[in-house]
Amino acid sequence: MTGSQRIPRHVAIIMDGNGRWARSRGLPRVKGHEQGVERIRPIALACAERGVEYLTLYAFSTENWRRPRREVRALLQLLSRAMDRKGEAYLEDNIRLRLVGSVERLDPALQQKVNEAIELNQHNTGLTLCLAFDYGSRAEIVRAARTIASDLDGSEVTEETIEQRLYTAGMPDVDLLIRCGGEVRLSNYLMWQSAYAELYFTEVLWPDLDEAELDRAFGEFSRRNRRYGALDGGGDA
Ligand code: FPP
């Protein structure tokens, strides 16, 4: 990485490939998720070191409830353990935790654990690590539309009034969206917030994502010419 690079302010990652990581080693899928959880802190620290302000990780989508019961249970257990251990660790790292999505479908003890970890770290001043949990863009926009329907007249609805009602209220738009694991789609992730994001798709599986690949993504971001739909030097829109 060179000193003159532009650094994305908000990075979003689709952490795909845990299952394949495990399968290629003859391990059960849940081992891939465990390894996936282990990557969260080093990647968050690497982003913080490079000057990223917000990192939003797709931990569990609204569609993930449809996975086999056993796998869902394992993912919830991992969330629970991550909140136990990482609550303290993030305090040390000066990382602020935020939830993007919902904990309403979790049992009350786990909801409390998540809320306590967020509370514990709320005065940290470094990177904001947003965990997208039970998150889906369409559900998020429906939720925003419902509150607008009860709060406002149609004529008062603007991009800002919608933004203020998204889970990400107050956060900057996504600058760089990275998808691990070789698929080339957005999978209902931050679709409003990524309207002008640069997209980076990599074959690297999430449990293998390292600083070298992160730097390749940042390098690619830095080389791209972001025009937000405007013309520049007579080029394409
Ligand atoms: C996809 O891998 C990944 C997920 C289902 C979400 C990412 C989850 C983690 C990193 C662990 C959970 C973290 C928390 C904090 C709950 P996949 O199973 O779809 O991989 P595959 O495409 O190779 O099958």
Side-chain angles (χ1 to χ4, degrees), residues 39-58:
R39 285 317 293 153
I40 293 179
R41 190 174 178 208
I43 292 295
L45 289 176
C47 284
E49 223 170 75
R50 286 156 179 74
V52 172
E53 293 174 45
Y54 295 85
L55 173 64
T56 306
L57 299 177
Y58 211 175

Side-chain angles (χ1 to χ4, degrees), residues 88-155:
E88 298 286 336
Y90 291 140
L91 202 55
E92 240 170 72
D93 299 337
N94 196 22
I95 286 177
R96 188 164 42 193
L97 261 189
R98 175 169 173 165
L99 181 81
V100 166
S102 169
V103 288
E104 278 166 25
R105 293 170 74 178
L106 302 182
D107 75 58
L110 185 48
Q111 289 191 26
Q112 193 181 337
K113 212 179 257 192
V114 173
N115 291 331
E116 280 171 6
I118 291 171
E119 176 82 12
L120 181 69
N121 292 292
Q122 66 165 325
H123 299 299
N124 290 347
T125 53
L127 176 100
T128 299
L129 174 60
C130 309
L131 215 51
F133 192 88
D134 200 2
Y135 176 84
S137 271
R138 289 183 177 179
E140 178 186 36
I141 292 168
V142 167
R143 178 176 170 271
R146 286 194 179 133
T147 64
I148 285 171
S150 64
D151 290 358
L152 299 176
D153 280 349
S155 62

